[in-house]
Amino acid sequence: MAIRNIVKIGDPILRKKSRKVEKFDQKLWDLLDDMKDTLDLAQGAGLAAVQVGILRRVVIVDIDDGKGLMELINPEIVEVSDETEESEEGCLSLPGQWGIVKRPKTVIVRAQNREGKWCKFKGEGLRARCFCHELDHLEGNVFTDFVSKMLTEDDIRRARDERIRKD
Ligand code: NI
């Protein structure tokens, strides 16, 4: 296992569409393991393979809610709620940038696991947001494409202070 370099905005690869995974082999498993290490170190909530320079439809999500890490291969959103939610969003490929993005409150994603078996995953709130954010990466999109308002440095400081008070 190894830490991989996270691609930053400005690199044209982030704008490319990722290709379907066809082989569920050691190479894929190494990628997934490395992505986990990379995400853990960066303390992010999710990572798409394109963010480590691999144009494959692979996403991991770990939102620290006790449910552990989810590995989603060839994921597709099959259901979204009409109800939406506006909240802050950031991205490991856009360090220091935060914005308000409207996302569906609940989404259901169909994806393969590392053995190639199809499963369904339900996401609500932050998890739904992460699913949408990471799946956007597979199409070459980043959250600033959908942002309703970017946060200023003051907004970021205030949000951080609020979080500290809550903890
Ligand atoms: Ni991102």
Side-chain angles (χ1 to χ4, degrees), residues 75-107:
E76 46 196 71
I77 291 176
V78 291
E79 233 181 281
V80 301
S81 62
D82 291 332
E83 207 182 334
T84 57
E85 216 168 53
E86 286 203 306
S87 190
E88 306 156 22
E89 218 166 294
C91 178
L92 294 173
S93 293
L94 288 83
Q97 296 193 46
W98 294 86
I100 304 293
V101 187
K102 191 198 268 185
R103 299 287 194 186
K105 200 166 184 214
T106 312
V107 303

mmCIF file of all heavy atoms in Angstrom, residues 75-107:
data_model
loop_
_atom_site.group_PDB
_atom_site.id
_atom_site.type_symbol
_atom_site.label_atom_id
_atom_site.label_comp_id
_atom_site.label_asym_id
_atom_site.label_seq_id
_atom_site.Cartn_x
_atom_site.Cartn_y
_atom_site.Cartn_z
ATOM 1 N N PRO A 75 -19.996 3.093 -10.431
ATOM 2 C CA PRO A 75 -21.228 3.519 -9.751
ATOM 3 C C PRO A 75 -22.151 4.334 -10.645
ATOM 4 O O PRO A 75 -21.681 5.048 -11.540
ATOM 5 C CB PRO A 75 -20.704 4.399 -8.609
ATOM 6 C CG PRO A 75 -19.428 4.962 -9.129
ATOM 7 C CD PRO A 75 -18.828 3.884 -9.999
ATOM 8 N N GLU A 76 -23.448 4.178 -10.405
ATOM 9 C CA GLU A 76 -24.435 5.031 -11.081
ATOM 10 C C GLU A 76 -25.556 5.360 -10.103
ATOM 11 O O GLU A 76 -25.940 4.526 -9.286
ATOM 12 C CB GLU A 76 -24.979 4.342 -12.334
ATOM 13 C CG GLU A 76 -25.371 2.894 -12.124
ATOM 14 C CD GLU A 76 -25.539 2.125 -13.433
ATOM 15 O OE1 GLU A 76 -24.520 1.861 -14.090
ATOM 16 O OE2 GLU A 76 -26.699 1.798 -13.757
ATOM 17 N N ILE A 77 -26.020 6.588 -10.183
ATOM 18 C CA ILE A 77 -27.124 7.005 -9.323
ATOM 19 C C ILE A 77 -28.407 6.479 -9.939
ATOM 20 O O ILE A 77 -28.685 6.729 -11.116
ATOM 21 C CB ILE A 77 -27.144 8.539 -9.174
ATOM 22 C CG1 ILE A 77 -25.922 8.980 -8.351
ATOM 23 C CG2 ILE A 77 -28.443 8.998 -8.506
ATOM 24 C CD1 ILE A 77 -25.755 10.470 -8.200
ATOM 25 N N VAL A 78 -29.185 5.711 -9.175
ATOM 26 C CA VAL A 78 -30.412 5.138 -9.735
ATOM 27 C C VAL A 78 -31.662 5.810 -9.191
ATOM 28 O O VAL A 78 -32.743 5.646 -9.751
ATOM 29 C CB VAL A 78 -30.486 3.598 -9.529
ATOM 30 C CG1 VAL A 78 -29.434 2.909 -10.381
ATOM 31 C CG2 VAL A 78 -30.329 3.202 -8.068
ATOM 32 N N GLU A 79 -31.520 6.558 -8.103
ATOM 33 C CA GLU A 79 -32.680 7.226 -7.530
ATOM 34 C C GLU A 79 -32.229 8.461 -6.769
ATOM 35 O O GLU A 79 -31.224 8.406 -6.063
ATOM 36 C CB GLU A 79 -33.356 6.271 -6.536
ATOM 37 C CG GLU A 79 -34.835 6.077 -6.781
ATOM 38 C CD GLU A 79 -35.430 5.143 -5.736
ATOM 39 O OE1 GLU A 79 -35.255 3.918 -5.881
ATOM 40 O OE2 GLU A 79 -36.034 5.664 -4.783
ATOM 41 N N VAL A 80 -32.943 9.564 -6.934
ATOM 42 C CA VAL A 80 -32.658 10.748 -6.124
ATOM 43 C C VAL A 80 -33.966 11.271 -5.542
ATOM 44 O O VAL A 80 -35.019 11.149 -6.163
ATOM 45 C CB VAL A 80 -31.983 11.889 -6.931
ATOM 46 C CG1 VAL A 80 -30.676 11.451 -7.534
ATOM 47 C CG2 VAL A 80 -32.893 12.436 -8.007
ATOM 48 N N SER A 81 -33.883 11.830 -4.342
ATOM 49 C CA SER A 81 -35.076 12.410 -3.722
ATOM 50 C C SER A 81 -35.373 13.758 -4.359
ATOM 51 O O SER A 81 -34.474 14.437 -4.849
ATOM 52 C CB SER A 81 -34.847 12.578 -2.216
ATOM 53 O OG SER A 81 -33.772 13.474 -1.987
ATOM 54 N N ASP A 82 -36.649 14.156 -4.345
ATOM 55 C CA ASP A 82 -37.011 15.497 -4.802
ATOM 56 C C ASP A 82 -36.496 16.529 -3.814
ATOM 57 O O ASP A 82 -36.142 17.643 -4.180
ATOM 58 C CB ASP A 82 -38.538 15.637 -4.917
ATOM 59 C CG ASP A 82 -39.075 14.781 -6.059
ATOM 60 O OD1 ASP A 82 -38.314 14.545 -7.015
ATOM 61 O OD2 ASP A 82 -40.239 14.347 -5.985
ATOM 62 N N GLU A 83 -36.471 16.112 -2.570
ATOM 63 C CA GLU A 83 -36.023 17.024 -1.518
ATOM 64 C C GLU A 83 -34.517 17.273 -1.658
ATOM 65 O O GLU A 83 -33.742 16.335 -1.864
ATOM 66 C CB GLU A 83 -36.312 16.402 -0.154
ATOM 67 C CG GLU A 83 -36.506 17.430 0.931
ATOM 68 C CD GLU A 83 -36.753 16.766 2.291
ATOM 69 O OE1 GLU A 83 -37.255 15.625 2.304
ATOM 70 O OE2 GLU A 83 -36.429 17.391 3.295
ATOM 71 N N THR A 84 -34.126 18.528 -1.562
ATOM 72 C CA THR A 84 -32.706 18.867 -1.684
ATOM 73 C C THR A 84 -32.214 19.530 -0.411
ATOM 74 O O THR A 84 -33.008 19.859 0.478
ATOM 75 C CB THR A 84 -32.467 19.817 -2.877
ATOM 76 O OG1 THR A 84 -33.277 20.982 -2.695
ATOM 77 C CG2 THR A 84 -32.798 19.151 -4.196
ATOM 78 N N GLU A 85 -30.893 19.698 -0.359
ATOM 79 C CA GLU A 85 -30.273 20.282 0.816
ATOM 80 C C GLU A 85 -29.104 21.145 0.339
ATOM 81 O O GLU A 85 -28.353 20.717 -0.532
ATOM 82 C CB GLU A 85 -29.727 19.140 1.674
ATOM 83 C CG GLU A 85 -29.829 19.347 3.156
ATOM 84 C CD GLU A 85 -29.528 18.044 3.907
ATOM 85 O OE1 GLU A 85 -28.469 17.447 3.650
ATOM 86 O OE2 GLU A 85 -30.353 17.641 4.727
ATOM 87 N N GLU A 86 -28.959 22.322 0.902
ATOM 88 C CA GLU A 86 -27.811 23.161 0.564
ATOM 89 C C GLU A 86 -26.822 23.110 1.703
ATOM 90 O O GLU A 86 -27.189 23.283 2.863
ATOM 91 C CB GLU A 86 -28.262 24.606 0.341
ATOM 92 C CG GLU A 86 -28.986 24.795 -0.964
ATOM 93 C CD GLU A 86 -28.920 26.236 -1.438
ATOM 94 O OE1 GLU A 86 -29.304 27.113 -0.647
ATOM 95 O OE2 GLU A 86 -28.483 26.471 -2.572
ATOM 96 N N SER A 87 -25.557 22.819 1.379
ATOM 97 C CA SER A 87 -24.551 22.760 2.430
ATOM 98 C C SER A 87 -23.166 23.035 1.855
ATOM 99 O O SER A 87 -22.992 23.088 0.635
ATOM 100 C CB SER A 87 -24.605 21.390 3.103
ATOM 101 O OG SER A 87 -23.805 21.391 4.257
ATOM 102 N N GLU A 88 -22.200 23.171 2.764
ATOM 103 C CA GLU A 88 -20.820 23.451 2.344
ATOM 104 C C GLU A 88 -20.195 22.218 1.723
ATOM 105 O O GLU A 88 -20.450 21.107 2.148
ATOM 106 C CB GLU A 88 -19.918 23.746 3.544
ATOM 107 C CG GLU A 88 -20.321 24.774 4.470
ATOM 108 C CD GLU A 88 -19.687 24.549 5.839
ATOM 109 O OE1 GLU A 88 -18.653 23.872 5.975
ATOM 110 O OE2 GLU A 88 -20.269 25.055 6.796
ATOM 111 N N GLU A 89 -19.338 22.466 0.757
ATOM 112 C CA GLU A 89 -18.626 21.375 0.116
ATOM 113 C C GLU A 89 -17.215 21.824 -0.224
ATOM 114 O O GLU A 89 -16.991 22.980 -0.586
ATOM 115 C CB GLU A 89 -19.396 21.006 -1.157
ATOM 116 C CG GLU A 89 -19.414 19.535 -1.419
ATOM 117 C CD GLU A 89 -20.439 19.137 -2.470
ATOM 118 O OE1 GLU A 89 -21.643 19.286 -2.200
ATOM 119 O OE2 GLU A 89 -20.030 18.675 -3.526
ATOM 120 N N GLY A 90 -16.281 20.909 -0.087
ATOM 121 C CA GLY A 90 -14.894 21.165 -0.477
ATOM 122 C C GLY A 90 -14.385 19.963 -1.243
ATOM 123 O O GLY A 90 -15.115 18.994 -1.461
ATOM 124 N N CYS A 91 -13.134 20.011 -1.665
ATOM 125 C CA CYS A 91 -12.585 18.920 -2.465
ATOM 126 C C CYS A 91 -11.069 18.873 -2.268
ATOM 127 O O CYS A 91 -10.428 19.923 -2.246
ATOM 128 C CB CYS A 91 -12.911 19.153 -3.935
ATOM 129 S SG CYS A 91 -12.241 17.904 -5.040
ATOM 130 N N LEU A 92 -10.520 17.676 -2.144
ATOM 131 C CA LEU A 92 -9.073 17.549 -1.937
ATOM 132 C C LEU A 92 -8.278 18.066 -3.144
ATOM 133 O O LEU A 92 -7.110 18.411 -3.001
ATOM 134 C CB LEU A 92 -8.700 16.083 -1.652
ATOM 135 C CG LEU A 92 -9.239 15.517 -0.337
ATOM 136 C CD1 LEU A 92 -8.950 14.027 -0.239
ATOM 137 C CD2 LEU A 92 -8.647 16.254 0.864
ATOM 138 N N SER A 93 -8.920 18.145 -4.294
ATOM 139 C CA SER A 93 -8.240 18.662 -5.485
ATOM 140 C C SER A 93 -8.343 20.189 -5.587
ATOM 141 O O SER A 93 -7.732 20.785 -6.470
ATOM 142 C CB SER A 93 -8.809 18.024 -6.752
ATOM 143 O OG SER A 93 -8.488 16.650 -6.780
ATOM 144 N N LEU A 94 -9.144 20.792 -4.701
ATOM 145 C CA LEU A 94 -9.277 22.263 -4.676
ATOM 146 C C LEU A 94 -9.016 22.755 -3.263
ATOM 147 O O LEU A 94 -9.928 23.251 -2.586
ATOM 148 C CB LEU A 94 -10.688 22.686 -5.116
ATOM 149 C CG LEU A 94 -11.062 22.535 -6.593
ATOM 150 C CD1 LEU A 94 -11.508 21.138 -6.935
ATOM 151 C CD2 LEU A 94 -12.157 23.516 -6.957
ATOM 152 N N PRO A 95 -7.773 22.605 -2.789
ATOM 153 C CA PRO A 95 -7.496 22.923 -1.387
ATOM 154 C C PRO A 95 -7.829 24.375 -1.044
ATOM 155 O O PRO A 95 -7.566 25.276 -1.835
ATOM 156 C CB PRO A 95 -5.990 22.649 -1.252
ATOM 157 C CG PRO A 95 -5.459 22.467 -2.625
ATOM 158 C CD PRO A 95 -6.594 22.138 -3.522
ATOM 159 N N GLY A 96 -8.460 24.544 0.121
ATOM 160 C CA GLY A 96 -8.778 25.889 0.610
ATOM 161 C C GLY A 96 -10.035 26.497 0.030
ATOM 162 O O GLY A 96 -10.416 27.593 0.406
ATOM 163 N N GLN A 97 -10.685 25.787 -0.904
ATOM 164 C CA GLN A 97 -11.905 26.340 -1.509
ATOM 165 C C GLN A 97 -13.128 25.621 -0.946
ATOM 166 O O GLN A 97 -13.164 24.402 -0.877
ATOM 167 C CB GLN A 97 -11.875 26.161 -3.029
ATOM 168 C CG GLN A 97 -10.762 26.932 -3.702
ATOM 169 C CD GLN A 97 -10.948 26.979 -5.211
ATOM 170 O OE1 GLN A 97 -12.027 27.235 -5.710
ATOM 171 N NE2 GLN A 97 -9.883 26.707 -5.937
ATOM 172 N N TRP A 98 -14.128 26.409 -0.575
ATOM 173 C CA TRP A 98 -15.379 25.867 -0.058
ATOM 174 C C TRP A 98 -16.532 26.614 -0.693
ATOM 175 O O TRP A 98 -16.428 27.813 -0.955
ATOM 176 C CB TRP A 98 -15.451 26.011 1.472
ATOM 177 C CG TRP A 98 -14.410 25.179 2.156
ATOM 178 C CD1 TRP A 98 -13.113 25.539 2.413
ATOM 179 C CD2 TRP A 98 -14.562 23.829 2.615
ATOM 180 N NE1 TRP A 98 -12.446 24.488 3.011
ATOM 181 C CE2 TRP A 98 -13.301 23.437 3.150
ATOM 182 C CE3 TRP A 98 -15.624 22.922 2.628
ATOM 183 C CZ2 TRP A 98 -13.092 22.165 3.691
ATOM 184 C CZ3 TRP A 98 -15.415 21.660 3.173
ATOM 185 C CH2 TRP A 98 -14.165 21.294 3.700
ATOM 186 N N GLY A 99 -17.625 25.893 -0.926
ATOM 187 C CA GLY A 99 -18.783 26.552 -1.510
ATOM 188 C C GLY A 99 -20.064 25.857 -1.101
ATOM 189 O O GLY A 99 -20.045 24.746 -0.566
ATOM 190 N N ILE A 100 -21.180 26.539 -1.338
ATOM 191 C CA ILE A 100 -22.490 25.977 -1.028
ATOM 192 C C ILE A 100 -23.019 25.306 -2.299
ATOM 193 O O ILE A 100 -23.086 25.933 -3.357
ATOM 194 C CB ILE A 100 -23.478 27.080 -0.591
ATOM 195 C CG1 ILE A 100 -22.922 27.870 0.608
ATOM 196 C CG2 ILE A 100 -24.852 26.496 -0.293
ATOM 197 C CD1 ILE A 100 -22.809 27.085 1.888
ATOM 198 N N VAL A 101 -23.372 24.023 -2.157
ATOM 199 C CA VAL A 101 -23.889 23.267 -3.305
ATOM 200 C C VAL A 101 -25.213 22.619 -2.909
ATOM 201 O O VAL A 101 -25.350 22.076 -1.809
ATOM 202 C CB VAL A 101 -22.895 22.166 -3.757
ATOM 203 C CG1 VAL A 101 -23.375 21.502 -5.041
ATOM 204 C CG2 VAL A 101 -21.497 22.730 -3.953
ATOM 205 N N LYS A 102 -26.165 22.723 -3.820
ATOM 206 C CA LYS A 102 -27.462 22.078 -3.585
ATOM 207 C C LYS A 102 -27.387 20.637 -4.095
ATOM 208 O O LYS A 102 -26.990 20.395 -5.242
ATOM 209 C CB LYS A 102 -28.546 22.845 -4.343
ATOM 210 C CG LYS A 102 -29.960 22.414 -3.948
ATOM 211 C CD LYS A 102 -30.965 22.846 -4.982
ATOM 212 C CE LYS A 102 -31.561 24.208 -4.657
ATOM 213 N NZ LYS A 102 -32.631 24.564 -5.625
ATOM 214 N N ARG A 103 -27.743 19.697 -3.228
ATOM 215 C CA ARG A 103 -27.704 18.268 -3.591
ATOM 216 C C ARG A 103 -29.010 17.611 -3.154
ATOM 217 O O ARG A 103 -29.654 18.086 -2.220
ATOM 218 C CB ARG A 103 -26.558 17.566 -2.847
ATOM 219 C CG ARG A 103 -25.172 18.094 -3.139
ATOM 220 C CD ARG A 103 -24.684 17.696 -4.501
ATOM 221 N NE ARG A 103 -23.242 17.928 -4.648
ATOM 222 C CZ ARG A 103 -22.593 17.772 -5.793
ATOM 223 N NH1 ARG A 103 -23.235 17.372 -6.887
ATOM 224 N NH2 ARG A 103 -21.293 18.012 -5.860
ATOM 225 N N PRO A 104 -29.377 16.493 -3.787
ATOM 226 C CA PRO A 104 -30.546 15.770 -3.286
ATOM 227 C C PRO A 104 -30.296 15.273 -1.853
ATOM 228 O O PRO A 104 -29.164 14.931 -1.505
ATOM 229 C CB PRO A 104 -30.696 14.591 -4.254
ATOM 230 C CG PRO A 104 -29.493 14.584 -5.116
ATOM 231 C CD PRO A 104 -28.793 15.880 -4.975
ATOM 232 N N LYS A 105 -31.353 15.243 -1.059
ATOM 233 C CA LYS A 105 -31.196 14.823 0.337
ATOM 234 C C LYS A 105 -30.851 13.334 0.432
ATOM 235 O O LYS A 105 -30.072 12.911 1.275
ATOM 236 C CB LYS A 105 -32.487 15.118 1.102
ATOM 237 C CG LYS A 105 -32.247 15.165 2.579
ATOM 238 C CD LYS A 105 -33.376 15.764 3.339
ATOM 239 C CE LYS A 105 -32.921 15.829 4.782
ATOM 240 N NZ LYS A 105 -33.939 15.625 5.733
ATOM 241 N N THR A 106 -31.459 12.557 -0.449
ATOM 242 C CA THR A 106 -31.209 11.107 -0.454
ATOM 243 C C THR A 106 -30.902 10.645 -1.868
ATOM 244 O O THR A 106 -31.565 11.085 -2.810
ATOM 245 C CB THR A 106 -32.468 10.352 0.028
ATOM 246 O OG1 THR A 106 -32.929 10.970 1.229
ATOM 247 C CG2 THR A 106 -32.188 8.895 0.311
ATOM 248 N N VAL A 107 -29.916 9.765 -2.006
ATOM 249 C CA VAL A 107 -29.667 9.144 -3.307
ATOM 250 C C VAL A 107 -29.435 7.649 -3.118
ATOM 251 O O VAL A 107 -28.974 7.211 -2.062
ATOM 252 C CB VAL A 107 -28.447 9.736 -4.059
ATOM 253 C CG1 VAL A 107 -28.568 11.231 -4.273
ATOM 254 C CG2 VAL A 107 -27.157 9.435 -3.359
#
